[in-house]
Amino acid sequence: MKYLLTFLSLIIGLTVSGQPKSVSYQPTIFYNNFSYKIPPVMRVAQGDTLLSESVDAAGYDKTGVRVAKRGNPVTGPFYIEGALPGDIVAITITNVAINRDYAITVETFVRRSMPMDIIKPVYAKNAIGIKWSLDTKNGYATPQTTYDNIKNLRVPLHPFMGCVAVAAPTKSKEPLTYFADQYGGNMDFNKIKTGSTVYLPVFHEGALLYIGDGHAAQGDGEINGDALETSMEFGFVAKVIKGEPALSFPRIEDAEYIASMGMDKTLEGALQKATLGLYEWVKKDYNLTLSEATQVIGPSIEYRIPTLAGPKLEVAAMIKKEVLILLTK
């Protein structure tokens, strides 16, 4: 699959026919399922830039008013013109911008991150919410706490979207928006930022795209259970890719890396699925034999664990484009 060419064409705004345009959607309702049953809020033509907004994970908007149920309420679904089951949609994130001056997180560590006897004083009912100030002008966040030893703490802002998903394939169960799987979902991967492209398999006509769960910053693993949760403005351009093998799991590309996601109940299972996805990607794009792939991937692969907080464990298998650019497509 010529993902790099797709990525570049989306960035410069090319369309198959006609001139691209910008369209806006101001959401008034948000959803907590990646459902195929919800009527599309807007039809989006390939190549057009869709501009919209999201609320935070607890349902608070840019003015601090609660307008949705907690649990990662998402904006959409957006009907992508031309998308049919079996296709792939490439969603290039053209903008992710914080639109308020605070974020919320939790004073805790998730169970998978450390032994329970260590984290018990801040776990479950003992956890409290922490508010952070967001200085978008200077690009950092600071916690609003009275603890002496972190009164000067500040972390760089790194806004990204925690949820990007198409409607899930099954018609018997509609996953909640804190789940992630082959349809994307609550991936919480901080590579899903301005300029990145997310590749997702299509299971229903129009793909039915959902976006939300804006994060001002988050470390790998999301080990507080929440990132720095805030509301966002976002934009995207969609392209439909036809005639390619179906994707088993989402793929993500930015200017520096390609990354294949894997989700499973175990870390080993997620790692194997992510590594397989990366292998299949470079094998097809560069016509590699299995032996050749061992030498391309082995010395250069990087792994990330985007979140430990979800129902399934996630792994991203990554390789830098500077390695691949030396190969022949």
Side-chain angles (χ1 to χ4, degrees):
M1 182 179 296
K2 303 301 185 282
Y3 287 103
L4 180 57
L5 293 177
T6 299
F7 178 74
L8 293 174
S9 69
L10 286 166
I11 289 295
I12 63 177
L14 298 180
T15 57
V16 175
S17 61
Q19 295 298 314
K21 60 183 183 296
S22 291
V23 292
S24 297
Y25 170 68
Q26 183 61 49
T28 57
I29 187 169
F30 304 88
Y31 296 100
N32 293 79
N33 297 83
F34 300 124
S35 172
Y36 75 98
K37 297 179 182 177
I38 298 170
V41 297
M42 180 174 282
R43 297 175 78 99
V44 181
Q46 295 181 59
D48 285 356
T49 300
L50 188 287
L51 304 173
S52 192
E53 296 179 351
S54 66
V55 295
D56 70 17
Y60 290 87
D61 68 9
K62 62 186 177 183
T63 67
V65 175
R66 192 168 202 172
V67 295
K69 294 190 301 182
R70 70 173 297 109
N72 301 334
V74 290
T75 304
F78 299 101
Y79 184 104
I80 308 302
E81 298 281 4
L84 295 173
D87 293 340
I88 296 167
V89 287
I91 306 300
T92 294
I93 309 297
T94 58
N95 181 55
V96 178
I98 297 164
N99 61 4
R100 73 184 193 201
D101 64 0
Y102 74 94
I104 299 295
T105 191
V106 185
E107 186 187 276
T108 190
F109 287 119
V110 298
R111 187 173 192 135
R112 290 182 175 126
S113 66
M114 281 194 286
M116 180 54 67
D117 61 335
I118 300 295
I119 67 174
K120 189 174 181 180
V122 293
Y123 187 73
K125 66 181 180 180
N126 297 323
I128 62 173
I130 297 292
K131 191 173 184 178
W132 284 62
S133 297
L134 306 179
D135 183 345
T136 54
K137 180 179 179 180
N138 294 300
Y140 62 83
T142 55
Q144 298 180 15
T145 71
T146 57
Y147 299 129
D148 290 339
N149 295 324
I150 62 170
K151 62 184 179 183
N152 295 320
L153 175 66
R154 67 182 193 178
V155 299
L157 294 176
H158 181 87
F160 71 97
M161 302 310 298
C163 286
V164 179
V166 295
T170 177
K171 293 188 176 183
S172 61
K173 187 176 181 180
E174 300 165 273
L176 297 170
T177 46
Y178 55 83
F179 280 81
D181 213 307
Q182 60 189 129
Y183 48 82
N186 186 35
M187 293 183 282
D188 289 329
F189 186 27
N190 57 22
K191 284 286 185 183
I192 304 177
K193 61 189 190 301
T194 300
S196 297
T197 298
V198 181
Y199 300 95
L200 297 168
V202 176
F203 305 104
H204 304 279
E205 181 181 331
L208 304 177
L209 179 72
Y210 295 89
I211 298 182
D213 188 30
H215 295 171
Q218 179 203 295
D220 289 345
E222 197 184 23
I223 65 172
N224 294 134
D226 283 344
L228 298 189
E229 310 283 348
T230 193
S231 58
M232 288 284 185
E233 296 174 2
F234 66 84
F236 71 84
V237 175
K239 182 176 178 62
V240 178
I241 301 171
K242 294 182 177 289
E244 295 286 348
L247 295 184
S248 299
F249 284 94
R251 295 176 178 177
I252 293 132
E253 179 175 7
D254 66 10
E256 188 179 9
Y257 284 94
I258 64 171
S260 181
M261 304 294 292
M263 293 83 165
D264 194 85
K265 292 181 179 180
T266 69
L267 186 60
E268 181 180 8
L271 186 144
Q272 289 182 349
K273 290 174 179 177
T275 309
L276 176 61
L278 187 66
Y279 162 69
E280 290 174 339
W281 192 345
V282 298
K283 175 179 180 289
K284 183 176 188 305
D285 273 15
Y286 301 97
N287 196 32
L288 302 180
T289 66
L290 177 61
S291 295
E292 289 170 336
T294 66
Q295 300 308 292
V296 173
I297 296 174
S300 303
I301 193 169
E302 300 176 33
Y303 289 108
R304 302 278 289 275
I305 302 175
T307 181
L308 296 171
K312 288 188 176 182
L313 287 159
E314 299 177 27
V315 171
M318 307 163 58
I319 193 167
K320 284 188 175 179
K321 290 183 176 179
E322 66 184 29
V323 174
L324 301 175
I325 203 170
L326 301 176
L327 304 180
T328 302
K329 280 204 172 186

